Amino acid sequence: MNPLISATLIGFMLGSNCGWFFTDLYYSAEISNLKTEQAESLAAAEQLYLQRYRQEIARADALSAQLSTTETQLQTRTQEVQRAISQVTTGKRCLDSAAVRLLNRAPRVDSAVPETTAPSVTESGAIATDTDVAGWIGGAQYQYDLCRARLNTLIDFETGRLDERANYE
């Protein structure tokens, strides 16, 4: 074999091996850098998630405490109204038996006028006095205010939430 061809083949093989070796070193370092960046990015994302999670828990706890205070105030106010009803009502007939029957058989049982709680004017007890109606109205107002307070708290929780899309722009 010609010495020039042999030298060329040896040079080509040495060059190929050196090229492969240095290319492997370069790309191994690049892959290692990418893995490091990915791990750092994942750690930063986990920290951000944990921070936001703690903020949301703190907001939820504060809103829950506020709602609990509101519910207690509503309950106290309703109890005061219920006690005062007997002082401002006369116990006179307000709704006769047909109206009470109609309201008690309405599809929405939870909003039906209660049966007479005070001594009734008639023997059947199927009427509602002004005291009964006032008591029902007070209870309905309490339920409405309680529902409104809970919904407002949910709205406050949702509207106070961080906008997640702002971090991706």
Side-chain angles (χ1 to χ4, degrees):
M1 196 187 254
N2 188 349
L4 184 60
I5 294 176
S6 295
T8 303
L9 284 175
I10 290 173
F12 178 74
M13 289 188 336
L14 282 175
S16 295
N17 284 338
C18 286
W20 177 82
F21 177 75
F22 287 114
T23 302
D24 182 53
L25 282 178
Y26 174 78
Y27 283 112
S28 293
E30 284 293 314
I31 290 172
S32 177
N33 288 340
L34 286 174
K35 286 181 178 179
T36 302
E37 288 175 11
Q38 182 183 18
E40 290 171 354
S41 176
L42 183 60
E46 287 175 352
Q47 287 299 320
L48 180 63
Y49 168 78
L50 188 58
Q51 176 187 2
R52 287 186 179 170
Y53 175 74
R54 287 179 179 150
Q55 288 172 347
E56 291 294 308
I57 293 296
R59 281 185 53 248
D61 289 345
L63 288 170
S64 291
Q66 180 183 353
L67 178 61
S68 178
T69 301
T70 301
E71 285 181 1
T72 301
Q73 290 170 348
L74 286 172
Q75 191 172 25
T76 302
R77 187 176 72 202
T78 301
Q79 288 172 348
E80 291 169 358
V81 167
Q82 294 293 341
R83 280 193 290 272
I85 284 175
S86 63
Q87 297 170 358
V88 296
T89 57
T90 60
K92 290 183 181 176
R93 172 184 253 174
C94 183
L95 298 173
D96 64 4
S97 61
V100 172
R101 251 191 327 275
L102 176 67
L103 292 173
N104 282 337
R105 288 194 173 87
R108 296 202 49 192
V109 176
D110 59 331
S111 64
V113 175
E115 292 293 325
T116 304
T117 55
S120 69
V121 177
T122 63
E123 303 273 330
S124 68
I127 62 147
T129 64
D130 61 346
T131 305
D132 297 329
V133 173
W136 177 82
I137 291 170
Q141 286 174 336
Y142 167 72
Q143 292 296 325
Y144 174 80
D145 289 339
L146 183 62
C147 182
R148 184 181 63 200
R150 289 176 179 173
L151 286 175
N152 285 340
T153 302
L154 285 172
I155 291 168
D156 289 345
F157 182 77
E158 288 299 321
T159 56
R161 182 170 277 170
L162 293 171
D163 187 9
E164 296 295 324
R165 294 170 294 191
N167 296 323
Y168 298 113
E169 294 176 350

